[in-house]
Amino acid sequence: MRDCLNHRAGFDRVLMTVAATFLTVSASAALAQDQARSSAAELAIEAAIPRPEPANVPPPTASDIKLDTTATVQDSAKEPAKDPVKAEAAPAPDKVETKPSDVATTPAPEAPKSETAKTEPAKTEPAKSEPAKADTATVTPAAPAAPAAAAIPAAEPVKAASNVPAADQPVADKLKDIIGAKTSRHFDRKNERAAIEKFYGARDFAPVWTQGGSLTSAAKGVIARLKDAASDGLNPADYPVPDFAAATTPDTLADAELKLTASMFDYARQAQSGRMHWSQVSGDILYPEHPVDPSEVLAKITTATDASAALDSYNPPQKLYKELKAKLAELRGLGNGPVIEIGDGPALKYTPAGKKQAEIVVDDPRVPQLRAKLGLTENASDTRYDATVAEAVRKFQNSVEMKPTGVLDDKTVRAINTPKRDKQIDTVLVNMERWRWLPRDLGVPSLGDAYVILNIPDYTLKVMQRGQQVWTTRVVTGKPGTHATPLLTETMKYITVNPTWNVPPSIVYNEYLPALQQDPTVLQRMGLKLEQNRDGSVHISQPPGEANALGRIRFNFPNKFLVYQHDTPDKNLFAREDRAFSHGCMRVQNPDQYASVLLNIAMPNEKYTPERVRSMYGKSEIDLKFPTPIPVNITYQTAFVDDGGKLQFRKDVYGRDATMINILKNGRGKDLENVVAHSQPSYSRPATTLPSGVAVANNGGGFGSSGPNFFERLFGAPTPPPAPVGRRPQRVFTR
């Protein structure tokens, strides 16, 4: 009986061994597919626990416990190695030891190793009388568990490796500490802090401006540019250069490193976008933003062959800006040749010939110096105070807001001999600042960099293409004050021939409705049509025709200020020197020529001529759409260099110069770069009670509050801003 029980117990053990092996392999394969299932160890333990007869069954032996332990070890070995069957390849321990990285980093070949595990227990099956050998075979995989765990720190040597030279390592350590904890002490902008962390982190925090405590060539270039900031109309005090010579410790070198980087950021940002945001000056300025990317600045400057030139490239690239920069150096006495000053002497006056007197030309030895000072290169050595010199003096007087008499008196001499920080220099400085607001690319490349540029104080408009002036004309601009022409950059999308004038709400409610109270027939006599909408608002328009306030052509570049360029029936104002008379729009002297020039740029194959444009004049609106819009840049240049190389000054008609000079001299540092919110233009049309006797074109019809807004009526649908009004004639689109 005992022998029977013994044989039965041995048989049970063999069965349990086979079952445990089968369950272990099955669990391993299942675990590789589904991590949520029970581990192989749990399944093996359940299978390995003996279920004996109620009596005369010996307790489990040590061998039985080893069997369960093997399954547990196999499962635990799986977790650090992320491979449930990795350990079972361990019967060749020499391979595991020579290639520890394979154990830690190669989880892919799981299936083949599972097959190996399946064949190993098959060898133990014939040895039914030696379960201990089977146990040993299954325990063996526990050996590589330690190498697998030990393989994890194998990445440490790579992490510890550093490309930082030993001499710079202390500075790199300090930079790491500062950037990690105190970056805001040097950089108050989030994008700059992020750029610093990324840039220095990628180079193990090695300094870029010093090597072994000595300045690099890049640092020397950046420092040279910062110290020469005044030549670009900037203030060097805004870009302090740290004293690297006095920085002898890792702490001071790291601090100087970040201070120079911060000054470089400030210079690049202000050179590109300006020391003050345009919204600081007025609410009627709108230019596209073009901020710098600090990461791009770091990459560009630190990899450039010439760091000074790379940093200088953030200044405006336009020719007119560079010409102003050269003139600024001359005004400061830094240009070629000595500074010219006019000596004291009697007043000089030129008298033209009249009916009863001959021309009077005064001779004076100061005139050659005066000619040079005013940029008159013709007859430079002529000592006669003739009509040419007198006209140049008159223009100078007008530019500095003196009475333009043309007489060279003591006051005019003092104005011409102004000191270095005089009004002329200030005027050049603020004009250079305004160039920073403009887009870097004024034109459109697909049209040969074509663009329109209008200068308000000079009352001129120019069409440019391929860097050359294609055409120019005189313009009339807005009156100073609430009707000032806004500064903006937009794109001209089409031209309207025979436009309808939809009177702006400001003119309707501020001028025409009050006039109706005095004379109910005034609008009829002016050829204007009044409509009252269902909501009680009033719309006034003027049909196309020769007497239309917009003339025969309107040039459309939709914008939030609702301004545009157009023809005018009143041509007499173009003969005046000061031409600020409009309500904000720009009147063009020769619109038919202007239209043909633009159409030939936009559609060169159409061969437009002024005559062809005029042949379209009639009573129906015709829109000529541009396949590619042409940029329009409305600028305010009170100082510029003319085609002859002479520095010209114009009257500060809107007071923009005075405002900017005051801001720069009494400003708040970097606060000037902040955007100032201004109230937006209002196009509302309140309900109005019309006086008796007023002719209403639609007799109470028209559009209600859901009709097209004024912007749509003016420029075509759909675009911003609000204000419901009616929309009149159907447009005819043609090419």
Side-chain angles (χ1 to χ4, degrees), residues 429-502:
L429 289 175
V430 294
N431 275 271
M432 293 173 72
E433 179 76 1
R434 284 193 289 267
W435 272 105
R436 304 183 196 282
W437 301 344
L438 288 165
R440 287 299 181 262
D441 296 320
L442 297 177
V444 54
S446 62
L447 297 179
D449 291 319
Y451 63 90
V452 174
I453 186 166
L454 185 145
N455 184 6
I456 294 172
D458 193 46
Y459 307 108
T460 55
L461 177 152
K462 296 180 180 180
V463 179
M464 307 292 292
Q465 189 177 33
R466 299 181 179 87
Q468 302 296 321
Q469 178 180 305
V470 175
W471 185 79
T472 186
T473 190
R474 290 186 163 205
V475 295
V476 172
T477 61
K479 302 173 186 176
T482 58
H483 296 304
T485 296
L487 308 184
L488 58 85
T489 290
E490 264 299 345
T491 55
M492 188 181 299
K493 297 174 174 61
Y494 63 99
I495 294 172
T496 301
V497 183
N498 309 315
T500 295
W501 182 37
N502 295 293

Side-chain angles (χ1 to χ4, degrees), residues 671-693:
D671 289 345
L672 297 180
E673 299 178 56
N674 296 335
V675 177
V676 175
H678 294 275
S679 59
Q680 296 300 304
S682 174
Y683 307 106
S684 63
R685 293 173 173 270
T688 302
T689 301
L690 298 174
S692 60

Side-chain angles (χ1 to χ4, degrees), residues 329-354:
E330 293 179 13
L331 287 172
R332 286 171 166 165
L334 304 177
N336 297 326
V339 179
I340 301 173
E341 288 200 5
I342 310 301
D344 295 333
L348 303 181
K349 180 180 179 181
Y350 166 76
T351 305

Side-chain angles (χ1 to χ4, degrees), residues 178 181-188 193:
I178 295 173
K182 303 177 182 178
T183 312
S184 59
R185 190 179 72 189
H186 300 87
F187 308 97
D188 53 4
R193 290 199 296 271

